[in-house]
Structure formats: C-alpha cells, structure tokens
Amino acid sequence: MVKNSFLAFGLTLPLVGCVTTTSPVATTDSYIVDSKTYQATGKSERVKTIVLHYTVSDNERSIKTLTTGNVSAHYLVLDNDDDKIYNLVPESERAWHAGDGGFAGRTILNDTSIGIEIVNSGIKPEYRDALKNGTLDYHPYAHYVAFDELQIKKVAQLVQDIATRYDISPKNIIGHSDMAPSRKIDPGAKFPWERLYFDYGIGAWYDEFDKQFFMNQDGFASATIPEIKQAFRKYGYQINDTDTWDKASRDVVYAFQLHFRAQQPTGHMDSETYAILQALNKKYAGRDDFY
Ligand SMILES: [Zn+2]
C-alpha cells in the first residue's frame, strides 16, 4: 500500500505542470495504415524450408529439452500411441532448431524454416562408440534406430500440410544433415524419404530412368572432383571447393546418401551417388526462388 501511494504521487507531479501551461493537444500524430488501396504483386512466403530432426532421446527428455532449454522446434512428434502432434513454437516465430549451415543458397535457416523434431534414439546404443576406434568413418544403415510407423504417418500429414500452405519447393524439404553435414546426421538413414515421396508426394526424389541413364553414361569416370562438387552445389548443398574428398566434403556425400541412398551411406563418392545427383539436378533444376 505504501509503495503504491508513493508511485501514484510521483506520477502526478509532472502532469500538474503540463495541465497548468497548455490546453489538451495530441502528443503524437496518429496515422492510419491503408492495406486495401494498393497491393504489390512481388511477394512470396517467408517460410521456405522444412527441416526434419530426430531428438536422440525419449519422450520425457525431448519435451524437457525442447520446452525449457535454448533449443526448440515448431513441432514435436512423440512416439506415443495417440493422434497428437505438439506445436511448441508458433509458425510465425523463429524456433531454434537449425543452427549453422545452409541449403539452396539460404543460411540462417531458423529465419525461414519450420523445424520438426521426431522422438527417436538415432544410433543404437551398442553402436554409439562405433566410430571411435577409427575403423569406421560413418554409421552404416544398420546402426540407426527405425522410426515408429505412426510417427511417420503423423510427420507425413504435418509436412504435407505445411508444404502446401507455404508452397514449399520439394527439394527444400530436408533433413538437418542436409543443411549441416559436418555437424549433424539426423534424421538418419532410417527416415523414409523415398516412401514419403511415393506415398504422400512429399519432398524430392529422382526418376529411376534418369538414374539408369546417367549410370550408363558413366560420367563419374570422367568427372573431375570440382565438377562433382559443383553438381552438389547446384542441388543446394554447401560444399567446399578443394579438389580432394577431404573429411568436410565426404560429410556432404554422406548426408546426401543418408537422404537419397540410405541403405548404403558410406561417405565415399561413387558412380551411383553421382548418377542420383545428376538425375535430381535434371528434375529439379531451376525450381528455386531466391526472392
Ligand atoms: Zn537436428
């Protein structure tokens, strides 16, 4: 009570001065925003990309991490046997899920993407240390934990809905690993990109005919490393311009294989990987909008 009285007293003092010297006038010029008379045609959606993740933890820990820490996602798909998807951050706001990296000419993807986290353990516990003794550079397909079928159905419907509402280009529906190949491997080799494409029309996938055509041409035998890297860049991957397959470059190859040849992710560039990349570039060339 004492504090309130004191505040009220303090606030009234300057007003007394005003009232005594001037009659009431507007203190700010007010204005009206007219959003009907003129309309621009040059515009597009702010959301350009969907980034899919796995959480590497169970339901309880995923909820805690994504709601109380300094990481978040717009949506969380638990592995509960129910029909819920949790919306943790409004689509109009930034979620903190993407971090450093980039794809299709865009960096700072938190600004322009919707992030979806799926509860999944990632690498099976018995293989978590498999890369430490130096005999393996990357986790093979068998090391990854499969997704629950119900999760995939939920993710498919959610992605379909978001992609339609924002008119997101198919190749901009990506995994965290696609945009940050040296830092991230999620959503991993068992995320069913191919099924999502064929069953739900989601994301990008190559035509088998084109892949066979490029395999038969055997462009890999004559392509230089810079040429192959340029093909990765054309599709959207960030890759350095050294003329060797250094670790950072192999990380990109591995990320690409996780997405488009998930049963054999090796991190080594080969003729099949190059044929898939060429087939994708043929199909999706010129589909990006950079405005
Ligand atoms: Zn992630």
Side-chain angles (χ1 to χ4, degrees):
M1 286 300 286
V2 170
K3 196 177 175 187
N4 284 346
S5 313
F6 179 74
L7 270 177
F9 177 70
L11 284 170
T12 53
L13 273 179
L15 287 176
V16 171
C18 278
V19 170
T20 55
T21 53
T22 56
S23 51
V25 292
T27 52
T28 59
D29 292 324
S30 57
Y31 57 87
I32 295 165
V33 175
D34 179 343
S35 52
K36 290 188 180 141
T37 307
Y38 309 109
Q39 294 276 295
T41 55
K43 61 182 177 179
S44 56
E45 297 288 351
R46 287 179 188 272
V47 174
K48 298 291 184 191
T49 308
I50 298 174
V51 183
L52 294 157
H53 306 259
Y54 62 46
T55 60
V56 201
S57 57
D58 60 16
N59 285 338
E60 200 182 338
R61 281 190 9 236
S62 300
I63 293 165
K64 184 157 189 258
T65 305
L66 293 168
T67 58
T68 63
N70 59 0
V71 291
S72 61
H74 294 91
Y75 293 98
L76 172 62
V77 177
L78 302 177
D79 67 357
N80 284 340
D81 189 16
D82 62 21
D83 58 0
K84 278 191 179 166
I85 294 169
Y86 293 89
N87 178 205
L88 311 180
V89 176
E91 288 181 3
S92 57
E93 293 178 34
R94 296 168 87 245
W96 300 344
H97 63 99
D100 287 344
F103 194 82
R106 290 193 176 85
T107 55
I108 319 177
L109 281 185
N110 281 344
D111 284 356
T112 54
S113 69
I114 297 289
I116 302 172
E117 286 277 3
I118 309 161
V119 169
N120 174 280
S121 313
I123 301 299
K124 293 175 183 173
E126 64 266 38
Y127 296 126
R128 296 236 167 102
D129 293 331
L131 308 186
K132 287 192 177 154
N133 65 14
T135 54
L136 265 184
D137 282 338
Y138 298 99
H139 288 287
Y141 179 79
H143 287 196
Y144 288 87
V145 175
F147 288 86
D148 184 76
E149 195 52 35
L150 186 57
Q151 288 179 305
I152 296 304
K153 280 190 181 153
K154 288 182 192 177
V155 169
Q157 289 175 39
L158 178 63
V159 170
Q160 224 169 19
D161 173 50
I162 298 166
T164 304
R165 280 189 287 113
Y166 295 108
D167 192 22
I168 291 174
S169 122
K171 70 189 221 184
N172 285 348
I173 299 172
I174 59 172
H176 203 183
S177 48
D178 291 311
M179 59 144 293
S182 289
R183 293 192 303 117
K184 297 291 174 180
I185 57 171
D186 64 312
K190 290 200 175 153
F191 187 79
W193 292 106
E194 186 175 7
R195 269 181 53 206
L196 289 189
Y197 176 82
F198 285 107
D199 294 354
Y200 296 90
I202 290 171
W205 201 258
Y206 57 90
D207 290 344
E208 186 63 32
F209 177 87
D210 292 334
K211 176 190 148 184
Q212 286 305 328
F213 171 81
F214 287 115
M215 287 283 282
N216 294 339
Q217 278 205 327
D218 199 15
F220 183 65
S222 54
T224 64
I225 292 174
E227 278 168 356
I228 296 170
K229 288 189 173 182
Q230 187 52 37
F232 275 108
R233 245 171 253 127
K234 184 176 178 189
Y235 190 71
Y237 287 87
Q238 289 190 328
I239 190 165
N240 67 32
D241 57 4
T242 67
D243 57 5
T244 59
W245 292 110
D246 52 24
K247 177 67 166 58
S249 306
R250 282 183 285 129
D251 291 345
V252 176
V253 174
Y254 182 70
F256 179 83
Q257 291 166 336
L258 283 180
H259 194 137
F260 294 107
R261 198 186 68 183
Q263 300 207 348
Q264 291 170 274
T266 59
H268 291 287
M269 197 60 209
D270 57 36
S271 59
E272 188 185 30
T273 304
Y274 190 44
I276 293 170
L277 179 58
Q278 289 175 292
L280 284 165
N281 275 334
K282 181 186 169 208
K283 186 170 175 181
Y284 295 103
R287 290 291 307 265
D288 260 320
D289 87 85
F290 286 106
Y291 294 104

